[in-house]
Amino acid sequence: MTKPKPKSQHKTRGRPATQVIKLDGTPEQAARAFFSHVKPPDPSLRKVRRKSSTGTTG
């Protein structure tokens, strides 16, 4: 027979507990810090949208 394992070595059943992130600050400050390193958009890289002809002649 094998020795019973102590409770600290038993695997827990079910889903693992989710981690709750705690931030000091308002949601606006968190968003500003999150998006502060994003480059501004470059309009020269934008694709030109052309008008599509939806009407048919006939």
Side-chain angles (χ1 to χ4, degrees):
M1 247 173 139
T2 61
K3 278 199 241 176
K5 291 184 179 179
K7 277 197 168 192
S8 62
Q9 290 184 355
H10 281 281
K11 290 186 178 180
T12 57
R13 295 180 65 179
R15 288 187 182 198
T18 58
Q19 293 181 350
V20 178
I21 299 171
K22 293 184 180 181
L23 297 174
D24 295 331
T26 63
E28 290 84 8
Q29 290 172 336
R32 187 173 290 132
F34 186 77
F35 292 110
S36 65
H37 298 291
V38 177
K39 293 190 298 186
D42 187 7
S44 66
L45 298 177
R46 221 174 147 179
K47 290 186 178 178
V48 178
R49 297 179 90 187
R50 303 194 181 214
K51 291 185 181 179
S52 62
S53 60
T54 55
T56 57
T57 58

XYZ file of all heavy atoms in Angstrom:
449
model
N 0.821 -1.184 0.000
C 0.000 0.000 0.000
C 0.869 1.253 0.000
O 1.953 1.251 0.556
C -0.876 0.026 1.237
C -2.323 -0.132 0.897
S -3.219 -0.281 2.417
C -4.557 0.692 2.027
N 0.359 2.304 -0.627
C 1.132 3.544 -0.670
C 0.728 4.452 0.483
O -0.362 4.335 1.039
C 0.896 4.283 -2.000
O -0.482 4.595 -2.092
C 1.314 3.422 -3.162
N 1.648 5.338 0.791
C 1.360 6.286 1.866
C 0.362 7.331 1.388
O 0.454 7.786 0.245
C 2.633 7.034 2.261
C 3.514 6.280 3.196
C 4.451 7.267 3.856
C 5.872 6.943 3.545
N 6.801 7.912 4.067
N -0.583 7.745 2.194
C -1.496 8.828 1.776
C -0.726 10.154 1.713
O 0.117 10.436 2.563
C -2.568 8.854 2.857
C -1.967 8.166 4.031
C -0.933 7.216 3.503
N -1.022 10.939 0.687
C -0.341 12.218 0.523
C -0.931 13.248 1.480
O -2.123 13.199 1.790
C -0.506 12.722 -0.915
C 0.231 11.896 -1.924
C 0.087 12.509 -3.294
C 0.837 11.715 -4.326
N 0.691 12.274 -5.660
N -0.097 14.180 1.922
C -0.666 15.261 2.733
C -1.594 16.141 1.894
O -1.521 16.157 0.666
C 0.556 16.049 3.209
C 1.687 15.592 2.386
C 1.330 14.274 1.797
N -2.488 16.866 2.549
C -3.487 17.660 1.837
C -2.855 18.710 0.939
O -3.426 19.102 -0.063
C -4.426 18.346 2.820
C -5.523 17.467 3.294
C -6.615 18.278 3.916
C -7.825 17.396 4.114
N -8.985 18.156 4.433
N -1.661 19.179 1.258
C -1.038 20.226 0.463
C -0.612 19.710 -0.915
O -0.427 20.490 -1.825
C 0.175 20.801 1.189
O 1.145 19.786 1.378
N -0.468 18.407 -1.093
C -0.028 17.849 -2.371
C -1.188 17.341 -3.222
O -0.979 16.943 -4.353
C 0.966 16.721 -2.126
C 2.294 17.212 -1.593
C 3.282 16.072 -1.444
O 2.943 14.908 -1.647
N 4.504 16.406 -1.072
N -2.407 17.348 -2.711
C -3.551 16.888 -3.481
C -3.931 17.925 -4.526
O -3.873 19.131 -4.278
C -4.761 16.626 -2.575
C -4.673 15.316 -1.862
N -4.965 14.128 -2.460
C -4.311 15.010 -0.601
C -4.808 13.142 -1.603
N -4.395 13.657 -0.466
N -4.312 17.466 -5.702
C -4.786 18.387 -6.734
C -6.215 18.779 -6.407
O -7.029 17.946 -6.012
C -4.744 17.725 -8.112
C -3.353 17.501 -8.630
C -3.394 16.992 -10.042
C -2.006 16.813 -10.586
N -2.014 16.318 -11.948
N -6.507 20.061 -6.604
C -7.864 20.515 -6.343
C -8.737 20.176 -7.548
O -8.278 20.186 -8.688
C -7.898 22.030 -6.086
O -7.326 22.684 -7.201
C -7.114 22.395 -4.852
N -9.981 19.911 -7.314
C -10.904 19.567 -8.383
C -11.606 20.822 -8.870
O -11.766 21.790 -8.149
C -11.932 18.564 -7.874
C -11.280 17.242 -7.493
C -12.287 16.272 -6.987
N -13.224 15.932 -8.058
C -14.211 15.088 -7.943
N -14.418 14.488 -6.802
N -15.009 14.834 -8.945
N -12.024 20.795 -10.113
C -12.791 21.904 -10.662
C -11.903 22.923 -11.370
O -10.715 22.692 -11.605
N -12.503 24.032 -11.696
C -11.772 25.086 -12.398
C -10.786 25.777 -11.472
O -11.068 25.943 -10.292
C -12.739 26.149 -12.917
C -13.547 25.694 -14.057
C -14.312 26.852 -14.591
N -15.159 26.415 -15.682
C -15.690 27.203 -16.566
N -15.504 28.488 -16.492
N -16.432 26.730 -17.530
N -9.668 26.220 -12.020
C -8.746 26.981 -11.177
C -9.332 28.358 -10.856
O -10.126 28.898 -11.621
C -7.495 27.105 -12.043
C -7.954 26.895 -13.435
C -9.149 26.002 -13.368
N -8.940 28.889 -9.748
C -9.452 30.196 -9.337
C -8.908 31.269 -10.271
O -7.749 31.220 -10.688
C -9.032 30.485 -7.907
N -9.748 32.230 -10.630
C -9.303 33.311 -11.497
C -8.620 34.374 -10.657
O -8.994 34.615 -9.511
C -10.478 33.949 -12.250
O -11.417 34.420 -11.299
C -11.150 32.946 -13.158
N -7.622 35.006 -11.254
C -6.912 36.053 -10.551
C -7.609 37.383 -10.786
O -7.949 37.720 -11.915
C -5.477 36.141 -11.042
C -4.647 34.935 -10.682
C -3.218 35.081 -11.160
O -2.894 35.981 -11.912
N -2.363 34.185 -10.719
N -7.811 38.125 -9.742
C -8.418 39.440 -9.832
C -7.298 40.460 -9.816
O -6.488 40.495 -8.886
C -9.395 39.685 -8.670
C -9.981 41.076 -8.741
C -10.492 38.645 -8.679
N -7.238 41.276 -10.868
C -6.193 42.286 -10.955
C -6.677 43.529 -10.232
O -7.751 44.048 -10.523
C -5.871 42.610 -12.420
C -5.366 41.361 -13.113
C -4.840 43.713 -12.506
C -5.226 41.528 -14.599
N -5.861 44.022 -9.323
C -6.230 45.216 -8.575
C -5.338 46.354 -9.043
O -4.115 46.259 -8.999
C -6.048 44.996 -7.081
C -7.006 43.971 -6.525
C -6.869 43.831 -5.045
C -7.852 42.792 -4.529
N -7.766 42.631 -3.089
N -5.961 47.429 -9.523
C -5.229 48.595 -9.994
C -5.543 49.785 -9.101
O -6.677 49.962 -8.676
C -5.630 48.936 -11.436
C -5.322 47.885 -12.491
C -5.901 48.314 -13.822
C -3.836 47.692 -12.618
N -4.523 50.578 -8.851
C -4.727 51.809 -8.104
C -4.977 52.919 -9.103
O -4.074 53.332 -9.819
C -3.507 52.128 -7.244
C -3.290 51.098 -6.155
O -4.285 50.508 -5.708
O -2.132 50.898 -5.756
N -6.186 53.388 -9.206
C -6.516 54.462 -10.122
C -7.892 54.261 -10.719
O -8.553 53.249 -10.505
N -8.307 55.255 -11.491
C -9.616 55.201 -12.126
C -9.525 54.413 -13.427
O -8.432 54.197 -13.949
C -10.115 56.630 -12.419
O -9.212 57.230 -13.354
C -10.178 57.472 -11.167
N -10.657 53.973 -13.983
C -10.622 53.287 -15.276
C -10.029 54.160 -16.381
O -9.376 53.654 -17.286
C -12.090 52.973 -15.545
C -12.727 52.933 -14.215
C -11.983 53.919 -13.380
N -10.246 55.482 -16.302
C -9.673 56.378 -17.310
C -8.153 56.378 -17.243
O -7.474 56.368 -18.265
C -10.200 57.812 -17.122
C -11.660 57.976 -17.473
C -12.585 57.599 -16.327
O -12.105 57.349 -15.207
O -13.803 57.531 -16.574
N -7.606 56.379 -16.037
C -6.152 56.351 -15.888
C -5.580 55.024 -16.362
O -4.514 54.977 -16.966
C -5.770 56.590 -14.425
C -6.020 58.003 -13.945
C -5.805 58.141 -12.451
O -5.899 57.160 -11.705
N -5.529 59.358 -12.007
N -6.293 53.934 -16.105
C -5.828 52.627 -16.555
C -5.840 52.556 -18.078
O -4.902 52.051 -18.697
C -6.696 51.520 -15.964
N -6.898 53.093 -18.715
C -6.978 53.080 -20.176
C -5.898 53.965 -20.781
O -5.281 53.607 -21.789
C -8.355 53.565 -20.621
N -5.642 55.106 -20.178
C -4.597 55.999 -20.686
C -3.223 55.326 -20.596
O -2.415 55.416 -21.518
C -4.601 57.309 -19.904
C -3.659 58.341 -20.477
C -3.790 59.681 -19.798
N -5.065 60.289 -20.148
C -5.908 60.823 -19.269
N -5.608 60.838 -17.988
N -7.041 61.351 -19.660
N -2.953 54.633 -19.510
C -1.679 53.945 -19.366
C -1.574 52.771 -20.339
O -0.506 52.494 -20.877
C -1.518 53.440 -17.930
N -2.686 52.106 -20.573
C -2.688 50.948 -21.466
C -2.441 51.367 -22.914
O -1.695 50.716 -23.641
C -4.031 50.222 -21.345
C -4.094 48.944 -22.110
C -3.475 47.805 -21.636
C -4.770 48.878 -23.305
C -3.534 46.621 -22.340
C -4.834 47.704 -24.021
C -4.215 46.580 -23.539
N -3.078 52.457 -23.341
C -2.976 52.878 -24.732
C -1.924 53.954 -24.974
O -1.839 54.492 -26.070
C -4.332 53.399 -25.219
C -5.367 52.322 -25.318
C -6.431 52.279 -24.441
C -5.263 51.333 -26.284
C -7.383 51.278 -24.537
C -6.212 50.336 -26.385
C -7.270 50.309 -25.505
N -1.109 54.274 -23.987
C -0.151 55.367 -24.144
C 0.970 55.018 -25.127
O 1.560 55.909 -25.728
C 0.447 55.743 -22.792
O 1.211 54.671 -22.285
N 1.281 53.752 -25.307
C 2.388 53.359 -26.173
C 1.948 53.042 -27.600
O 2.764 52.608 -28.406
C 3.118 52.152 -25.579
C 3.716 52.452 -24.242
N 4.772 53.297 -24.072
C 3.395 52.032 -22.999
C 5.087 53.375 -22.802
N 4.254 52.618 -22.113
N 0.687 53.252 -27.898
C 0.172 52.957 -29.236
C 0.501 54.123 -30.165
O 0.326 55.286 -29.814
C -1.355 52.727 -29.188
C -1.915 52.497 -30.570
C -1.669 51.554 -28.290
N 1.008 53.800 -31.364
C 1.339 54.849 -32.322
C 0.058 55.459 -32.878
O -0.942 54.773 -33.044
C 2.130 54.275 -33.493
C 3.515 53.777 -33.120
C 4.335 53.457 -34.343
C 3.716 52.355 -35.152
N 4.549 51.910 -36.264
N 0.076 56.756 -33.196
C -1.100 57.353 -33.826
C -1.285 56.791 -35.229
O -0.324 56.348 -35.861
C -0.781 58.851 -33.862
C 0.676 58.954 -33.644
C 1.109 57.733 -32.922
N -2.511 56.777 -35.753
C -2.752 56.190 -37.071
C -2.065 56.995 -38.180
O -1.959 58.207 -38.121
C -4.263 56.234 -37.217
C -4.718 57.266 -36.266
C -3.731 57.283 -35.137
N -1.594 56.285 -39.200
C -0.937 56.904 -40.348
C -1.941 56.949 -41.496
O -2.309 55.905 -42.041
C 0.295 56.094 -40.748
C 1.116 56.768 -41.826
O 0.806 57.927 -42.180
O 2.073 56.144 -42.307
N -2.418 58.141 -41.893
C -3.436 58.205 -42.939
C -2.929 57.750 -44.296
O -3.718 57.389 -45.162
C -3.848 59.671 -42.966
C -2.906 60.404 -42.110
C -2.115 59.428 -41.317
N -1.613 57.744 -44.526
C -1.099 57.328 -45.836
C -1.245 55.825 -46.050
O -1.235 55.354 -47.184
C 0.361 57.731 -45.982
O 1.162 57.006 -45.066
N -1.390 55.059 -44.990
C -1.521 53.603 -45.106
C -2.976 53.164 -45.279
O -3.241 51.982 -45.466
C -0.942 52.919 -43.866
C 0.544 53.139 -43.619
C 0.960 52.475 -42.315
C 1.367 52.596 -44.772
N -3.888 54.107 -45.199
C -5.302 53.774 -45.261
C -5.727 53.435 -46.676
O -5.315 54.077 -47.637
C -6.092 54.983 -44.792
C -7.236 54.609 -43.934
C -7.903 55.796 -43.384
N -9.295 55.432 -43.278
C -10.232 56.193 -42.825
N -9.952 57.401 -42.454
N -11.453 55.757 -42.750
N -6.555 52.419 -46.828
C -7.056 52.040 -48.141
C -8.168 52.992 -48.553
O -8.993 53.394 -47.739
C -7.602 50.615 -48.124
C -6.536 49.569 -47.984
C -7.138 48.198 -48.113
C -6.076 47.135 -48.025
N -6.650 45.804 -48.108
N -8.191 53.351 -49.826
C -9.216 54.254 -50.334
C -10.456 53.438 -50.656
O -10.390 52.436 -51.369
C -8.711 54.994 -51.596
C -9.794 55.893 -52.155
C -7.463 55.784 -51.272
N -11.578 53.860 -50.117
C -12.833 53.165 -50.405
C -13.457 53.811 -51.622
O -13.742 54.998 -51.636
C -13.766 53.264 -49.207
C -13.196 52.570 -47.985
C -14.120 52.715 -46.828
N -15.036 51.589 -46.833
C -16.056 51.459 -46.031
N -16.334 52.400 -45.155
N -16.834 50.395 -46.085
N -13.655 53.022 -52.616
C -14.257 53.542 -53.861
C -15.745 53.256 -53.850
O -16.193 52.276 -53.266
C -13.598 52.898 -55.060
C -12.110 53.144 -55.039
C -11.495 52.835 -56.341
N -10.052 53.076 -56.190
C -9.292 53.521 -57.134
N -9.791 53.747 -58.313
N -8.029 53.726 -56.936
N -16.488 54.134 -54.506
C -17.923 53.927 -54.588
C -18.209 52.725 -55.461
O -17.649 52.586 -56.552
C -18.611 55.161 -55.164
C -18.582 56.352 -54.254
C -19.382 57.482 -54.850
C -19.347 58.704 -53.973
N -20.096 59.804 -54.558
N -19.056 51.862 -54.973
C -19.416 50.712 -55.776
C -20.702 51.001 -56.547
O -21.597 51.680 -56.040
C -19.608 49.477 -54.879
O -20.661 49.710 -53.992
N -20.769 50.527 -57.760
C -21.973 50.769 -58.565
C -22.999 49.710 -58.219
O -22.851 48.546 -58.566
C -21.638 50.752 -60.043
O -21.106 49.498 -60.389
N -24.021 50.107 -57.516
C -25.046 49.133 -57.111
C -26.182 49.080 -58.118
O -26.903 48.102 -58.179
C -25.617 49.497 -55.732
O -26.110 50.834 -55.760
C -24.530 49.389 -54.659
N -26.349 50.145 -58.908
C -27.434 50.150 -59.878
C -27.042 49.421 -61.171
O -25.907 49.465 -61.611
N -27.968 48.700 -61.753
C -27.696 47.997 -63.013
C -28.532 48.616 -64.121
O -29.664 49.032 -63.889
C -28.044 46.490 -62.887
O -29.399 46.365 -62.511
C -27.156 45.819 -61.855
N -27.961 48.692 -65.289
C -28.721 49.227 -66.431
C -29.326 48.077 -67.199
O -28.716 47.021 -67.352
C -27.800 50.043 -67.363
O -26.733 49.197 -67.805
C -27.208 51.226 -66.621
N -30.481 48.255 -67.699
C -31.026 47.157 -68.446
C -32.378 47.350 -68.830
O -33.299 47.503 -69.290
